[in-house]
Every structure is written in C-alpha cells, then in structure tokens.
Amino acid sequence: MPEYALLELEVSTLTPLHIGTGVDLLHEYDYIVAGGKTWRINHGALLEAQDVDDPKQLDFLSRTPPARLLKPTDFTPQSPFFRYIMAGAPRATGEGAVLREQIKDVYDRPYLPGSSLKGALRTALASTLWKQANRTLNLTDLGFSARFAAQRYERELLGRDPNRDLLRALQVSDSQPVGSDRLMVLNARIINQRGKLGSPIEMEAIRSDTTFHMTVKVDLALFSEWAKRAGLTLPAESALMNLPGIVNARSRSLAKREEAWFAAVPGAGAVASFYRQIASVNLPAGQMFLPLGWGTGWESKTLGASLMQDPHLRETLLRKYSMTRGRRNKGDPFPLSRRVAMRVQKTPNGALQETLFLPLGWVLVSFKVVKGPQSVWRG
C-alpha cells in the first residue's frame, strides 16, 4: 500500500470570499476612496517623500491623516504611494470608517489558507458522521464555553486525541497566491426574512471567478497494519476516502434550506436563484461545492439543523451559550437572519441604491489524484 496520496486542487470562488485577519483598516489612515476605487496606502513610501527633518513639518505629519498628504496626480496605478488598488468602494467614507482586512501574504497577494479549507471539510465530515451514527444531543456532555461546547462529541466522531484524529491524515497546503487585482471591496448586510437590513459591513474580499491552486496529501500510512499495531488506528477511514460525496450531499442539503429561506425574502430572488442552482447541479466526479469563510452562516460552521429539531433543546442551547442578539421571541426559528453581499450603485441623482446580490463564500473545488491510488477521494 502506498504511504500517501497527493491531490492537486483548484478552488474557484463562485461568490465573494472573505477570510479576515481580524484587523480593521481605517479610512484616510490605511486607505482612501477615489474615482470609484479603493486605494490602500503605502505608509513607508508616503513618509519617505516628506521632509521629516523640518520640526514643523514633522509636527504637521503627526496630526494629519496620511490620505491628506496625497495629491490628485498621485492617483495612478504606477504610484509608489499605494500598495494595491481595489475595484469598488465602501459606503462609509467618513474619517475613521473601517474596512475589514482580507488575509494576504507579505507581498499583498491574497491566498487561501489550508486551515480554512480543512476546517470547512472537517465540519462537513463531523456533521455527516453525527447523522450516520444517529446521535442525539445530551446537554450534560457539553462544555461551558461556546467555542468548545461540542469538543467531547467531536472527539468521539473524529478521534479521542490528536494522534488519533481522523483529519490528521489530511494535510492541506496553503494555496499559491493570486494577484492583488483579484481583491474587491465588498459591501455586506445582515438581513432578516422580512427583508429588513442591518448596518453595512464593509470588507476586502476575493472576487468571484478567482481560482486558487493548492495540494492535499492523504497520509495512507495511518490506515496501515503498522498503524494498527502501534495503536494509531483512525476512525471512519471510508468516510475520509469518500469525502467529496459527503461534502456535496451536505452542501446540496444546506442550499435547499437556504433557497427556501430566501424565497420568502422580498427582493432576494437573485440569492434564492443561486442556491437553487447549487441544490440542483449534479457535479461530475472530481468536484464538490463548499461554503467557506466569513458570512456563510451558522449552519455551515456547526453540526447544523440536526441540533435544533427539538424546540425545548433549541431554546436551552440558545440561552446557555448566548447565541442570539437583539429581539427574538421564544419559539422563533434560529438563526433569524443571514449575511449577504449587496450591489451598491449610484442613481442619476447621486443617491446610493442597494440590491441583494449574492450569498458569501461559496466555492467549487476541483481535484485530481497525481500520486497514489485513484480510489482516494472518490467523487
């Protein structure tokens, strides 16, 4: 038996994708909006162009936002005063407005972290194993922290310790970077089923139709006779080998529920149509749909709807882990809202007009085995 299998992946964004750094960029300090585009300021180059030997000028610089040092002639793609330029602009353009930062490498090139893809695959696998085992939730088995509440169940499903964790056999690389031209400014909103919009959430994001290249290594030695003798046997080997089928089944199920939810939302026809396509397409072997990153919703990050079938249990969980915000009546479905990408356009009179555009973070993963048995990751 080969020691490992190597797969090459192409991960193509179907909708805008945001994987954040946790840093908020400040308008006029980190970026500036001009000509319908968003320009990320190069602080080092801008500072080098100033006369810092003059005490008065130095005092002026300490009190002045960097964007106000720029001249109209500076706004060219060749200018050294900008690290990169993004299509689109945030709604908020006052001093101190924020833009959530997208993860990039040291050269400002966006990439897809292997940990993000592996985490999404892990969630899909755990959710499916939970259903296959016909498990029921026992509140006494849950931890006190919301972040680690289901750790006991996760260990039962995927392995009791790091040495025996099923996903130890799955090694996912970071992707190769893409150009900064694949960045955009995304205006997102929270929306409830009545169509009421929450406050704007603005961020850097990866544009649709961007393709990342990465590799996955499946450590087959961990399923060998040697591993069994060493006490390193991993659970659910067959599930890991059939991961694309598991992921696609879960993605279709999620898309059907989201299509039904958005079908009742005024003005959300485009979003419902997208989910209808995801739910109806039968992908060929070697491909899978996957929700990834920020804004894909509570269900995509957890065991999902199977936890919320019992109304009493649902209310207990929501209260125990403070999972709701704002006004919610006991017995209401959960979650009450979704995050969506908005299309923002100016009307002829200069006002901003928003329309519901797309869901967030859906990708198409295409893969092929380049080394090892072709039976790995059966589609």
Side-chain angles (χ1 to χ4, degrees), residues 43 63 67 96 149-150 210 218 241 253 283 311 316 375:
H43 297 100
R63 294 182 285 104
T210 299
V218 182
M241 295 301 147
S253 178
L283 291 175
T316 303
S375 59

Side-chain angles (χ1 to χ4, degrees), residues 218-282:
V218 182
D219 190 346
L220 301 176
L222 293 173
F223 303 112
S224 67
E225 288 300 320
W226 164 84
K228 293 175 182 177
R229 290 194 300 270
L232 297 176
T233 309
L234 302 183
E237 173 187 352
S238 62
L240 183 62
M241 295 301 147
N242 192 39
L243 190 56
I246 287 173
V247 169
N248 274 326
R250 186 171 188 266
S251 293
R252 280 195 298 269
S253 178
L254 174 60
K256 287 178 182 178
R257 291 193 295 274
E258 293 301 286
E259 178 197 351
W261 194 90
F262 278 101
V265 177
V271 182
S273 176
F274 173 85
Y275 279 121
R276 190 176 308 117
Q277 293 180 59
I278 295 293
S280 61
V281 171
N282 290 317

Side-chain angles (χ1 to χ4, degrees), residues 44-173:
L46 191 57
L47 184 61
E48 286 181 4
Q50 312 306 312
D51 181 9
V52 294
D53 294 328
D54 182 347
K56 291 183 179 180
Q57 179 68 4
L58 193 59
D59 179 64
F60 170 76
L61 292 174
S62 69
R63 294 182 285 104
T64 305
R68 298 183 189 177
L69 303 174
L70 296 164
K71 301 185 293 292
T73 54
D74 292 329
F75 289 87
T76 66
Q78 296 77 30
S79 173
F81 299 145
F82 301 104
R83 292 165 54 173
Y84 51 86
I85 307 164
M86 292 180 288
R91 285 177 55 102
T93 55
E95 181 181 348
V98 299
L99 194 65
R100 298 184 181 185
E101 185 181 43
Q102 172 76 22
I103 193 169
K104 314 175 200 71
D105 68 10
V106 295
Y107 301 105
D108 288 326
R109 299 177 301 182
Y111 70 95
L112 178 58
S115 57
S116 296
L117 181 63
K118 185 172 181 177
L121 295 174
R122 184 184 187 88
T123 300
L125 186 57
S127 176
T128 299
L129 293 176
W130 174 275
K131 292 180 181 178
Q132 289 178 351
N134 198 26
R135 296 298 303 269
T136 57
L137 189 66
N138 187 335
L139 291 174
T140 60
D141 292 334
L142 298 178
F144 291 103
S145 165
R147 184 178 178 184
F148 301 107
Q151 190 174 68
R152 176 172 176 175
Y153 289 120
E154 186 176 348
R155 288 173 175 171
E156 289 179 8
L157 294 169
L158 299 176
R160 66 179 184 267
D161 58 51
N163 284 331
R164 295 168 179 81
D165 191 292
L166 177 61
L167 272 296
R168 180 188 174 195
L170 199 67
Q171 302 166 23
V172 186
S173 73

Side-chain angles (χ1 to χ4, degrees), residues 12-15 182 206-211:
S12 302
T13 55
L14 303 176
T15 66
R182 300 312 302 167
I206 304 298
R207 299 164 64 173
S208 302
D209 299 320
T210 299
T211 299

Side-chain angles (χ1 to χ4, degrees), residues 285-308:
Q287 291 187 326
M288 54 184 167
F289 289 129
L290 187 67
L292 186 66
W294 185 88
T296 52
W298 176 80
E299 276 211 61
S300 73
K301 302 287 194 297
T302 66
L303 296 180
S306 58
L307 297 181
M308 296 296 190

Side-chain angles (χ1 to χ4, degrees), residues 321-336:
Y321 296 111
S322 303
M323 296 169 64
T324 60
R325 298 178 182 177
R327 183 178 299 175
R328 178 186 177 276
N329 296 320
K330 184 177 181 180
D332 285 346
F334 177 83
L336 286 173

